[in-house]
Amino acid sequence: MKIVVLGAGVIGVTSAWYLAKAGHEVTVIDRQPGPSLETSFANAGEISPGYSSPWAAPGIPQKAIKWMFMKHAPLIIQPRPDLAKLGWMAKMLSNCTTAAYQTNKRRMVRLAEYSRDCLMELRAETGIAYDERTQGTLQLFRTQKQVDGAAKDIEVLRADGVPFEVLDRDACLAAEPGLAGARDKIAGGLRLPGDETGDCFKFTNRLAEMAEALGVTFRYGVGIDGLESDGTRITAARTSEGRVTADAFVVALGSYSPFLVAPFGMKLPVYPVKGYSITVPIVNEDRAPVSTVMDETHKIAITRLGDRIRVGGMAEIAGFDLSLNPKRRATLEHSVEDLFGGAGDQSKASFWTGLRPMTPDGTPVVGRSTVPNLFLNTGHGTLGWTMAAGSGRVLADIVSGRKTEIESADLGYARYLKPRAARAQGFGAAQPA
Protein backbone atom coordinates (compact mmCIF):
# COMPACT_ATOMS: atom_id res chain seq x y z
CA MET A 1 0.00 0.00 0.00
CA LYS A 2 0.88 3.65 -0.27
CA ILE A 3 1.13 4.95 3.29
CA VAL A 4 1.68 8.45 4.71
CA VAL A 5 3.23 8.77 8.16
CA LEU A 6 2.57 12.13 9.80
CA GLY A 7 5.45 12.98 12.12
CA ALA A 8 9.22 12.38 11.95
CA GLY A 9 10.07 11.90 15.61
CA VAL A 10 11.37 8.57 16.83
CA ILE A 11 7.84 7.11 16.72
CA GLY A 12 7.14 8.24 13.16
CA VAL A 13 10.54 7.16 11.83
CA THR A 14 10.41 3.69 13.41
CA SER A 15 6.88 3.31 12.04
CA ALA A 16 8.14 4.22 8.57
CA TRP A 17 11.06 1.80 8.86
CA TYR A 18 8.90 -1.21 9.74
CA LEU A 19 6.22 -0.28 7.20
CA ALA A 20 8.89 -0.10 4.50
CA LYS A 21 10.33 -3.44 5.65
CA ALA A 22 6.81 -4.85 5.25
CA GLY A 23 6.85 -3.81 1.59
CA HIS A 24 4.80 -0.62 1.64
CA GLU A 25 5.48 2.63 -0.21
CA VAL A 26 5.98 5.13 2.60
CA THR A 27 6.11 8.93 2.77
CA VAL A 28 6.88 10.76 6.02
CA ILE A 29 5.78 14.38 6.47
CA ASP A 30 7.01 16.74 9.20
CA ARG A 31 6.98 20.49 9.73
CA GLN A 32 10.56 20.52 11.04
CA PRO A 33 13.63 20.72 8.74
CA GLY A 34 14.78 17.24 9.80
CA PRO A 35 13.92 14.20 11.94
CA SER A 36 13.75 14.11 15.74
CA LEU A 37 13.72 17.86 16.32
CA GLU A 38 10.90 18.07 18.86
CA THR A 39 10.22 15.72 21.81
CA SER A 40 12.75 13.13 20.57
CA PHE A 41 15.59 15.65 20.40
CA ALA A 42 17.12 15.62 23.90
CA ASN A 43 15.15 13.20 26.05
CA ALA A 44 16.61 11.42 29.07
CA GLY A 45 18.32 8.79 26.90
CA GLU A 46 17.11 5.75 28.82
CA ILE A 47 15.59 2.63 27.30
CA SER A 48 13.99 1.20 30.41
CA PRO A 49 11.41 -1.55 29.89
CA GLY A 50 11.50 -2.58 33.55
CA TYR A 51 10.97 0.99 34.67
CA SER A 52 7.90 1.37 32.47
CA SER A 53 5.27 2.49 34.95
CA PRO A 54 2.19 4.69 34.70
CA TRP A 55 2.34 7.99 36.51
CA ALA A 56 -1.18 7.24 37.71
CA ALA A 57 -0.55 5.12 40.79
CA PRO A 58 -1.94 4.66 44.31
CA GLY A 59 -0.77 7.47 46.53
CA ILE A 60 0.09 9.84 43.69
CA PRO A 61 -2.60 12.44 44.55
CA GLN A 62 -1.16 12.78 48.06
CA LYS A 63 2.41 12.87 46.75
CA ALA A 64 1.46 15.49 44.15
CA ILE A 65 0.30 17.88 46.86
CA LYS A 66 3.61 17.45 48.70
CA TRP A 67 5.68 17.81 45.51
CA MET A 68 4.07 21.13 44.68
CA PHE A 69 5.69 22.68 47.76
CA MET A 70 9.20 21.26 47.20
CA LYS A 71 12.02 23.55 46.10
CA HIS A 72 13.13 21.01 43.47
CA ALA A 73 9.68 19.68 42.62
CA PRO A 74 9.25 16.78 40.16
CA LEU A 75 5.71 17.97 39.38
CA ILE A 76 4.64 21.51 38.52
CA ILE A 77 1.05 22.40 37.66
CA GLN A 78 0.62 25.83 36.11
CA PRO A 79 -2.60 27.48 37.36
CA ARG A 80 -3.83 28.68 33.97
CA PRO A 81 -7.44 27.54 33.31
CA ASP A 82 -7.59 24.84 30.64
CA LEU A 83 -10.57 22.50 30.19
CA ALA A 84 -8.47 19.92 28.32
CA LYS A 85 -5.96 19.88 31.19
CA LEU A 86 -8.65 19.49 33.84
CA GLY A 87 -10.33 16.67 31.92
CA TRP A 88 -7.05 14.85 31.40
CA MET A 89 -6.09 15.20 35.08
CA ALA A 90 -9.48 13.87 36.17
CA LYS A 91 -9.01 10.79 33.98
CA MET A 92 -5.51 10.31 35.34
CA LEU A 93 -6.79 10.45 38.93
CA SER A 94 -9.36 7.77 38.09
CA ASN A 95 -6.44 5.49 37.18
CA CYS A 96 -4.75 5.95 40.58
CA THR A 97 -6.07 2.66 41.95
CA THR A 98 -4.14 -0.53 42.66
CA ALA A 99 -6.07 -2.54 40.07
CA ALA A 100 -5.67 0.09 37.34
CA TYR A 101 -1.98 0.56 38.14
CA GLN A 102 -1.23 -3.16 37.83
CA THR A 103 -3.18 -3.47 34.57
CA ASN A 104 -1.56 -0.40 33.04
CA LYS A 105 1.96 -1.30 34.16
CA ARG A 106 1.70 -4.86 32.81
CA ARG A 107 0.71 -3.74 29.33
CA MET A 108 3.35 -1.00 29.36
CA VAL A 109 6.06 -3.48 30.38
CA ARG A 110 4.82 -5.94 27.73
CA LEU A 111 5.24 -3.36 24.95
CA ALA A 112 8.50 -2.01 26.36
CA GLU A 113 10.11 -5.45 26.70
CA TYR A 114 9.07 -6.30 23.16
CA SER A 115 10.43 -2.97 21.96
CA ARG A 116 13.79 -3.61 23.58
CA ASP A 117 13.94 -6.99 21.79
CA CYS A 118 13.03 -5.33 18.48
CA LEU A 119 15.76 -2.73 19.01
CA MET A 120 18.34 -5.43 19.69
CA GLU A 121 17.29 -7.21 16.50
CA LEU A 122 17.42 -3.94 14.53
CA ARG A 123 20.88 -3.19 15.90
CA ALA A 124 22.13 -6.65 14.96
CA GLU A 125 20.61 -6.37 11.48
CA THR A 126 21.84 -2.89 10.61
CA GLY A 127 24.79 -2.11 12.89
CA ILE A 128 23.15 1.21 13.81
CA ALA A 129 25.15 3.16 16.42
CA TYR A 130 23.82 5.90 18.71
CA ASP A 131 26.09 6.08 21.81
CA GLU A 132 24.31 2.96 23.02
CA ARG A 133 25.12 1.08 26.25
CA THR A 134 23.56 -2.09 27.64
CA GLN A 135 24.43 -1.81 31.32
CA GLY A 136 21.05 -1.48 33.00
CA THR A 137 19.20 1.15 35.02
CA LEU A 138 19.58 1.86 38.74
CA GLN A 139 16.55 3.34 40.49
CA LEU A 140 18.16 5.10 43.44
CA PHE A 141 16.35 5.48 46.76
CA ARG A 142 17.41 8.14 49.23
CA THR A 143 15.05 6.99 52.03
CA GLN A 144 13.93 3.69 53.53
CA LYS A 145 10.35 4.69 52.76
CA GLN A 146 11.23 4.72 49.05
CA VAL A 147 12.88 1.31 49.39
CA ASP A 148 9.74 -0.10 51.00
CA GLY A 149 7.52 1.60 48.41
CA ALA A 150 9.20 -0.30 45.57
CA ALA A 151 7.45 -3.50 46.67
CA LYS A 152 4.47 -2.99 44.34
CA ASP A 153 6.77 -2.51 41.33
CA ILE A 154 8.82 -5.56 42.28
CA GLU A 155 5.64 -7.62 42.46
CA VAL A 156 4.73 -6.69 38.88
CA LEU A 157 8.30 -7.23 37.64
CA ARG A 158 8.38 -10.68 39.23
CA ALA A 159 4.99 -11.62 37.80
CA ASP A 160 6.07 -10.55 34.30
CA GLY A 161 9.46 -12.29 34.50
CA VAL A 162 11.48 -9.06 34.23
CA PRO A 163 14.99 -9.48 35.72
CA PHE A 164 15.73 -7.20 38.68
CA GLU A 165 18.13 -6.84 41.59
CA VAL A 166 17.37 -5.25 44.96
CA LEU A 167 20.57 -3.50 46.09
CA ASP A 168 21.83 -2.16 49.37
CA ARG A 169 24.05 0.93 49.59
CA ASP A 170 27.30 -0.90 48.87
CA ALA A 171 25.82 -2.74 45.90
CA CYS A 172 24.59 0.58 44.47
CA LEU A 173 28.15 1.91 44.64
CA ALA A 174 29.49 -1.26 43.01
CA ALA A 175 27.06 -0.77 40.11
CA GLU A 176 27.75 2.97 39.83
CA PRO A 177 31.19 3.83 41.32
CA GLY A 178 30.67 7.53 40.54
CA LEU A 179 28.16 7.65 43.42
CA ALA A 180 30.95 7.25 45.99
CA GLY A 181 30.78 10.91 46.98
CA ALA A 182 27.05 10.59 47.72
CA ARG A 183 27.32 7.40 49.77
CA ASP A 184 25.55 8.82 52.84
CA LYS A 185 22.57 9.94 50.71
CA ILE A 186 21.78 6.42 49.47
CA ALA A 187 19.36 4.03 51.20
CA GLY A 188 19.25 1.38 48.47
CA GLY A 189 18.27 0.75 44.90
CA LEU A 190 16.41 -1.36 42.38
CA ARG A 191 18.56 -2.36 39.42
CA LEU A 192 17.12 -3.50 36.10
CA PRO A 193 20.02 -5.17 34.25
CA GLY A 194 18.10 -5.56 30.98
CA ASP A 195 17.70 -1.83 30.41
CA GLU A 196 19.76 0.16 27.90
CA THR A 197 20.74 3.74 27.12
CA GLY A 198 21.35 5.72 23.96
CA ASP A 199 20.98 9.02 22.11
CA CYS A 200 17.48 9.08 20.63
CA PHE A 201 18.33 11.95 18.27
CA LYS A 202 21.31 10.11 16.78
CA PHE A 203 19.28 6.90 16.47
CA THR A 204 16.34 8.58 14.74
CA ASN A 205 18.52 10.41 12.24
CA ARG A 206 20.49 7.30 11.32
CA LEU A 207 17.36 5.18 11.04
CA ALA A 208 15.82 7.84 8.78
CA GLU A 209 18.87 7.60 6.52
CA MET A 210 18.51 3.82 6.37
CA ALA A 211 14.77 4.15 5.73
CA GLU A 212 15.51 6.43 2.78
CA ALA A 213 17.78 3.71 1.43
CA LEU A 214 14.77 1.36 1.61
CA GLY A 215 12.76 3.83 -0.49
CA VAL A 216 10.99 5.90 2.17
CA THR A 217 10.38 9.52 1.10
CA PHE A 218 10.84 12.20 3.77
CA ARG A 219 9.20 15.57 3.22
CA TYR A 220 10.59 18.01 5.79
CA GLY A 221 9.49 21.59 6.37
CA VAL A 222 5.93 20.72 5.36
CA GLY A 223 3.09 21.85 7.63
CA ILE A 224 0.23 19.42 8.28
CA ASP A 225 -3.10 21.26 8.24
CA GLY A 226 -5.63 18.43 8.46
CA LEU A 227 -7.08 15.28 6.96
CA GLU A 228 -9.77 14.92 4.30
CA SER A 229 -12.42 12.20 4.27
CA ASP A 230 -15.06 10.93 1.86
CA GLY A 231 -17.26 10.04 4.82
CA THR A 232 -15.91 6.55 5.33
CA ARG A 233 -12.14 6.76 4.80
CA ILE A 234 -9.32 9.30 4.82
CA THR A 235 -8.57 10.38 1.27
CA ALA A 236 -5.76 12.92 1.73
CA ALA A 237 -3.64 14.91 4.11
CA ARG A 238 -3.85 18.67 3.64
CA THR A 239 -0.40 20.20 3.87
CA SER A 240 1.34 23.52 3.28
CA GLU A 241 2.44 22.05 -0.06
CA GLY A 242 -0.96 20.74 -1.13
CA ARG A 243 -2.93 17.50 -0.81
CA VAL A 244 -1.11 14.20 -0.28
CA THR A 245 -3.14 11.09 -1.09
CA ALA A 246 -2.51 7.53 0.11
CA ASP A 247 -4.20 4.22 0.91
CA ALA A 248 -3.56 4.59 4.66
CA PHE A 249 -2.40 7.27 7.09
CA VAL A 250 -0.50 7.01 10.37
CA VAL A 251 -0.74 9.80 12.95
CA ALA A 252 2.51 10.01 14.94
CA LEU A 253 2.39 13.66 15.96
CA GLY A 254 2.84 13.28 19.70
CA SER A 255 0.96 15.89 21.72
CA TYR A 256 -0.53 17.40 18.56
CA SER A 257 -2.25 14.17 17.48
CA PRO A 258 -5.65 14.91 19.10
CA PHE A 259 -6.15 18.02 16.95
CA LEU A 260 -5.84 16.00 13.74
CA VAL A 261 -8.33 13.26 14.66
CA ALA A 262 -10.90 15.36 16.55
CA PRO A 263 -12.88 16.25 13.38
CA PHE A 264 -13.66 12.53 13.02
CA GLY A 265 -15.29 12.25 16.43
CA MET A 266 -12.25 10.87 18.25
CA LYS A 267 -11.54 12.19 21.73
CA LEU A 268 -7.92 11.12 21.96
CA PRO A 269 -6.84 11.75 25.58
CA VAL A 270 -3.25 12.78 24.86
CA TYR A 271 -2.03 15.88 26.68
CA PRO A 272 1.39 17.60 26.62
CA VAL A 273 3.44 17.19 29.79
CA LYS A 274 6.52 19.36 29.62
CA GLY A 275 9.90 17.88 30.46
CA TYR A 276 13.36 19.40 30.67
CA SER A 277 16.92 18.21 30.17
CA ILE A 278 20.49 19.42 30.31
CA THR A 279 23.37 17.82 28.43
CA VAL A 280 26.66 18.16 30.25
CA PRO A 281 30.17 17.39 28.88
CA ILE A 282 32.10 14.99 31.13
CA VAL A 283 35.29 16.34 32.71
CA ASN A 284 35.91 13.59 35.29
CA GLU A 285 35.33 9.99 34.16
CA ASP A 286 35.69 8.56 37.67
CA ARG A 287 32.76 10.59 38.94
CA ALA A 288 30.49 10.08 35.94
CA PRO A 289 27.63 7.58 35.73
CA VAL A 290 28.16 4.27 33.93
CA SER A 291 24.59 3.95 32.68
CA THR A 292 21.29 5.47 33.89
CA VAL A 293 20.54 6.40 37.49
CA MET A 294 16.96 7.31 38.34
CA ASP A 295 16.89 9.76 41.25
CA GLU A 296 13.62 8.65 42.83
CA THR A 297 13.32 11.71 45.07
CA HIS A 298 13.35 14.21 42.20
CA LYS A 299 12.10 11.83 39.47
CA ILE A 300 15.14 12.67 37.35
CA ALA A 301 17.15 10.37 35.06
CA ILE A 302 20.91 10.82 34.86
CA THR A 303 22.28 9.01 31.82
CA ARG A 304 25.70 8.43 30.30
CA LEU A 305 25.75 9.19 26.55
CA GLY A 306 29.30 8.76 25.28
CA ASP A 307 31.34 11.69 26.60
CA ARG A 308 28.22 13.51 27.86
CA ILE A 309 25.74 13.23 30.72
CA ARG A 310 22.07 13.73 29.91
CA VAL A 311 19.98 14.80 32.89
CA GLY A 312 16.25 14.76 32.22
CA GLY A 313 12.98 14.83 34.06
CA MET A 314 10.22 16.77 35.78
CA ALA A 315 6.60 17.04 34.73
CA GLU A 316 5.26 20.52 34.14
CA ILE A 317 1.62 20.67 33.17
CA ALA A 318 1.55 23.92 31.23
CA GLY A 319 -0.17 23.18 27.93
CA PHE A 320 1.92 23.84 24.82
CA ASP A 321 4.29 26.32 26.46
CA LEU A 322 7.90 25.72 25.33
CA SER A 323 9.63 28.46 27.33
CA LEU A 324 12.79 27.50 29.25
CA ASN A 325 12.35 28.10 32.97
CA PRO A 326 15.67 28.62 34.81
CA LYS A 327 14.17 27.11 37.99
CA ARG A 328 13.86 23.76 36.21
CA ARG A 329 17.47 23.94 35.10
CA ALA A 330 18.47 24.49 38.73
CA THR A 331 16.64 21.29 39.71
CA LEU A 332 18.44 19.25 37.05
CA GLU A 333 21.80 20.69 38.08
CA HIS A 334 21.06 20.00 41.74
CA SER A 335 20.24 16.34 41.12
CA VAL A 336 23.33 15.52 39.06
CA GLU A 337 25.71 17.52 41.24
CA ASP A 338 24.26 16.03 44.42
CA LEU A 339 24.90 12.49 43.19
CA PHE A 340 27.78 12.84 40.71
CA GLY A 341 29.46 16.03 41.91
CA GLY A 342 32.24 17.29 39.65
CA ALA A 343 31.58 14.76 36.87
CA GLY A 344 30.55 17.37 34.30
CA ASP A 345 31.12 20.99 33.38
CA GLN A 346 27.82 22.74 34.10
CA SER A 347 29.05 25.99 32.52
CA LYS A 348 29.03 24.25 29.13
CA ALA A 349 25.71 22.42 29.54
CA SER A 350 22.90 22.88 27.00
CA PHE A 351 19.33 23.34 28.28
CA TRP A 352 16.25 21.96 26.47
CA THR A 353 12.54 21.35 26.89
CA GLY A 354 10.03 19.13 25.09
CA LEU A 355 6.36 18.16 25.28
CA ARG A 356 5.75 14.54 26.22
CA PRO A 357 2.46 13.20 24.81
CA MET A 358 0.83 11.57 27.86
CA THR A 359 -2.27 9.43 28.17
CA PRO A 360 -4.12 9.30 31.51
CA ASP A 361 -3.38 5.59 31.94
CA GLY A 362 0.25 5.79 30.79
CA THR A 363 -0.16 3.37 27.89
CA PRO A 364 0.38 4.71 24.36
CA VAL A 365 -2.27 4.43 21.66
CA VAL A 366 -0.98 2.07 18.97
CA GLY A 367 -3.26 0.66 16.29
CA ARG A 368 -6.50 1.35 14.47
CA SER A 369 -8.66 4.39 14.92
CA THR A 370 -12.41 4.58 14.30
CA VAL A 371 -11.69 5.42 10.65
CA PRO A 372 -10.72 2.22 8.74
CA ASN A 373 -7.55 3.49 7.03
CA LEU A 374 -6.38 5.87 9.79
CA PHE A 375 -3.92 4.50 12.34
CA LEU A 376 -2.47 5.92 15.56
CA ASN A 377 0.99 5.66 17.10
CA THR A 378 1.09 8.29 19.81
CA GLY A 379 0.75 8.99 23.54
CA HIS A 380 4.02 7.40 24.70
CA GLY A 381 4.70 10.03 27.36
CA THR A 382 8.17 9.64 28.88
CA LEU A 383 8.65 6.25 27.18
CA GLY A 384 8.71 7.09 23.47
CA TRP A 385 12.39 6.12 23.18
CA THR A 386 11.83 2.97 25.24
CA MET A 387 8.79 1.84 23.24
CA ALA A 388 9.60 3.18 19.76
CA ALA A 389 10.88 0.08 17.97
CA GLY A 390 8.17 -2.19 19.36
CA SER A 391 5.41 0.33 18.68
CA GLY A 392 6.61 0.76 15.10
CA ARG A 393 6.64 -2.97 14.51
CA VAL A 394 3.23 -3.54 16.11
CA LEU A 395 1.81 -0.67 14.06
CA ALA A 396 3.27 -2.06 10.82
CA ASP A 397 1.79 -5.49 11.54
CA ILE A 398 -1.66 -4.03 12.23
CA VAL A 399 -1.60 -1.86 9.09
CA SER A 400 -0.48 -4.88 7.05
CA GLY A 401 -3.24 -7.09 8.48
CA ARG A 402 -0.76 -9.44 10.14
CA LYS A 403 -1.07 -10.97 13.58
CA THR A 404 1.06 -8.98 16.01
CA GLU A 405 3.78 -10.81 17.93
CA ILE A 406 2.46 -9.53 21.27
CA GLU A 407 -1.06 -8.91 22.50
CA SER A 408 -2.03 -5.51 21.08
CA ALA A 409 -5.80 -5.19 21.39
CA ASP A 410 -5.49 -3.29 24.68
CA LEU A 411 -2.98 -0.83 23.21
CA GLY A 412 -5.34 0.78 20.73
CA TYR A 413 -7.99 3.47 20.72
CA ALA A 414 -10.71 0.87 21.38
CA ARG A 415 -9.95 0.98 25.11
CA TYR A 416 -11.48 4.46 25.22
CA LEU A 417 -14.76 3.23 23.69
CA LYS A 418 -17.62 1.51 25.40
CA PRO A 419 -17.72 -2.24 24.55
CA ARG A 420 -20.77 -1.93 22.29
CA ALA A 421 -19.25 0.99 20.39
CA ALA A 422 -15.96 -0.89 20.03
CA ARG A 423 -17.74 -3.93 18.57
CA ALA A 424 -19.70 -1.70 16.21
CA GLN A 425 -16.40 -0.25 14.97
CA GLY A 426 -15.08 -3.77 14.29
CA PHE A 427 -12.26 -3.71 16.84
CA GLY A 428 -10.74 -7.07 17.61
CA ALA A 429 -8.37 -8.98 15.35
CA ALA A 430 -5.89 -6.99 13.27
CA GLN A 431 -7.43 -5.87 9.97
CA PRO A 432 -5.75 -4.54 6.82
CA ALA A 433 -6.49 -1.00 5.69
Side-chain angles (χ1 to χ4, degrees):
M1 292 184 292
K2 183 178 179 181
I3 299 172
V4 167
V5 176
L6 303 170
V10 68
I11 300 299
V13 172
T14 51
S15 297
W17 168 263
Y18 284 109
L19 286 165
K21 294 285 284 184
H24 301 293
E25 180 185 342
V26 183
T27 297
V28 180
I29 302 174
D30 196 283
R31 65 184 179 184
Q32 296 289 351
S36 191
L37 288 174
E38 295 201 22
T39 305
S40 304
F41 180 70
N43 62 24
E46 55 177 325
I47 302 167
S48 299
Y51 195 69
S52 298
S53 299
W55 287 12
I60 284 296
Q62 296 87 345
K63 289 181 181 179
I65 294 171
K66 181 184 71 173
W67 287 335
M68 289 172 67
F69 296 97
M70 289 173 57
K71 179 180 178 181
H72 297 294
L75 173 66
I76 306 97
I77 302 176
Q78 297 294 351
R80 304 185 196 96
D82 179 344
L83 290 178
K85 174 174 69 177
L86 293 174
W88 181 86
M89 290 177 66
K91 290 174 184 175
M92 181 179 175
L93 288 172
S94 72
N95 277 277
C96 291
T97 66
T98 298
Y101 177 83
Q102 291 179 340
T103 296
N104 294 333
K105 183 174 176 66
R106 284 201 171 101
R107 63 187 175 191
M108 291 171 72
V109 170
R110 180 205 319 149
L111 177 58
E113 288 277 315
Y114 176 65
S115 187
R116 194 264 320 282
D117 294 343
C118 290
L119 180 59
M120 291 171 64
E121 184 179 312
L122 174 60
R123 197 164 57 231
E125 175 190 351
T126 66
I128 190 170
Y130 45 92
D131 283 340
E132 71 280 2
R133 289 189 173 210
T134 57
Q135 294 170 264
T137 293
L138 173 62
Q139 186 178 2
L140 193 71
F141 306 124
R142 295 174 183 251
T143 67
Q144 187 59 43
K145 186 177 181 180
Q146 291 174 347
V147 174
D148 297 338
K152 64 181 184 296
D153 286 332
I154 291 171
E155 181 182 338
V156 175
L157 294 172
R158 184 178 285 116
D160 290 343
V162 179
F164 66 90
E165 301 167 358
V166 178
L167 306 183
D168 61 15
R169 178 183 294 162
D170 290 338
C172 288
L173 297 180
E176 285 284 354
L179 290 169
R183 177 184 177 86
D184 293 340
K185 299 171 184 175
I186 299 169
L190 175 63
R191 184 170 181 269
L192 304 170
D195 287 2
E196 302 185 5
T197 58
D199 188 322
C200 183
F201 175 76
K202 287 186 177 182
F203 171 86
T204 307
N205 276 265
R206 287 172 183 168
L207 189 64
E209 292 171 2
M210 291 189 288
E212 281 189 299
L214 282 181
V216 175
T217 299
F218 285 86
R219 296 181 60 180
Y220 299 119
V222 178
I224 301 163
D225 301 322
L227 297 170
E228 295 181 3
S229 168
D230 63 4
T232 58
R233 299 165 67 84
I234 303 301
T235 55
R238 292 194 312 275
T239 78
S240 58
E241 295 185 354
R243 299 171 72 252
V244 181
T245 60
D247 300 307
F249 298 80
V250 176
V251 177
L253 291 171
S255 299
Y256 299 90
S257 300
F259 300 114
L260 208 64
V261 302
F264 306 98
M266 281 178 271
K267 296 179 180 179
L268 186 62
V270 174
Y271 190 81
V273 176
K274 190 176 181 181
Y276 295 86
S277 76
I278 55 174
T279 305
V280 189
I282 293 173
V283 294
N284 189 326
E285 287 274 346
D286 293 339
R287 295 183 180 180
V290 172
S291 188
T292 289
V293 172
M294 289 294 305
D295 183 350
E296 179 64 15
T297 297
H298 300 296
K299 303 292 184 182
I300 285 173
I302 304 169
T303 300
R304 175 69 170 268
L305 295 177
D307 59 359
R308 301 162 295 150
I309 303 171
R310 175 70 51 75
V311 188
M314 287 173 290
E316 185 172 0
I317 301 177
F320 289 86
D321 173 31
L322 281 168
S323 62
L324 287 166
N325 190 323
K327 291 182 179 179
R328 313 302 169 237
R329 178 170 187 155
T331 296
L332 297 169
E333 291 176 348
H334 168 75
S335 180
V336 68
E337 286 300 316
D338 201 37
L339 296 176
F340 296 97
D345 185 350
Q346 296 290 348
S347 69
K348 296 180 180 177
S350 57
F351 185 32
W352 172 87
T353 189
L355 301 176
R356 310 182 189 103
M358 297 287 296
T359 61
D361 56 20
T363 310
V365 185
V366 184
R368 292 180 53 215
S369 75
T370 56
V371 181
N373 67 331
L374 179 62
F375 299 85
L376 305 170
N377 198 357
T378 187
H380 295 74
T382 60
L383 297 165
W385 183 204
T386 293
M387 296 180 172
S391 296
R393 189 159 177 174
V394 166
L395 187 282
D397 285 342
I398 292 172
V399 172
S400 303
R402 298 194 301 243
K403 180 177 174 61
T404 56
E405 295 180 327
I406 61 170
E407 171 59 41
S408 62
D410 58 352
L411 301 177
Y413 182 73
R415 71 180 188 268
Y416 298 119
L417 301 174
K418 293 181 179 179
R420 182 176 296 179
R423 287 194 297 271
Q425 294 288 346
F427 283 99
Q431 298 179 12

